[in-house]
Amino acid sequence: QVQLVESGGGLVQAGGSLRLSCAASGRTFSSYSMGWFRHTPGKEREFVAAISWSGGTTDYADSVKGRFTISIDNAKNTVYLQMNSLKPEDTAVYYCAAVRFDYAGRRLSEYPYWGQGTQVTVSS
């Protein structure tokens, strides 16, 4: 029903910033809530941030609170993750995910649609 494509990853020094984008497309795309997750080898995929379709509800992992900001642009069908004050431990492949109608928050299993991921590497 929907395809998600992440972009904006790259290499950045500690303390720097990156802005990730996730563009959603599909003939039935509408009223989707979005989330960001990340994965590094040897670890479970972990929740980063989530936002409702209206933008009225957000949630962040404790590890990124105060540094990351999730936002959504309904007109562009795009969700963003602004990452500031990056740390080496933020290094991971970042995935966006979508769920129709419901706000899934940090519940990974409730997101049926996933992008392919974009690599973020933070050097010390």
Side-chain angles (χ1 to χ4, degrees), residues 4-53:
L4 307 175
V5 180
E6 302 96 335
S7 63
L11 175 65
V12 65
Q13 295 183 11
S17 298
L18 284 174
R19 188 194 192 198
L20 304 184
S21 299
C22 176
S25 62
R27 60 177 180 171
T28 62
F29 185 82
S30 64
S31 301
Y32 286 88
S33 294
M34 309 291 291
W36 285 97
F37 296 79
R38 64 189 182 187
H39 177 257
T40 190
K43 297 182 179 180
E44 301 261 355
R45 185 177 297 185
E46 66 176 353
F47 168 77
V48 177
I51 189 168
S52 61
W53 180 246

Side-chain angles (χ1 to χ4, degrees), residues 58-79:
T58 59
D59 191 23
Y60 296 92
D62 289 342
S63 60
V64 307
K65 285 182 179 178
R67 300 189 297 118
F68 291 10
T69 303
I70 188 171
S71 61
I72 192 165
D73 186 334
N74 293 341
K76 296 182 178 180
N77 292 329
T78 300
V79 65

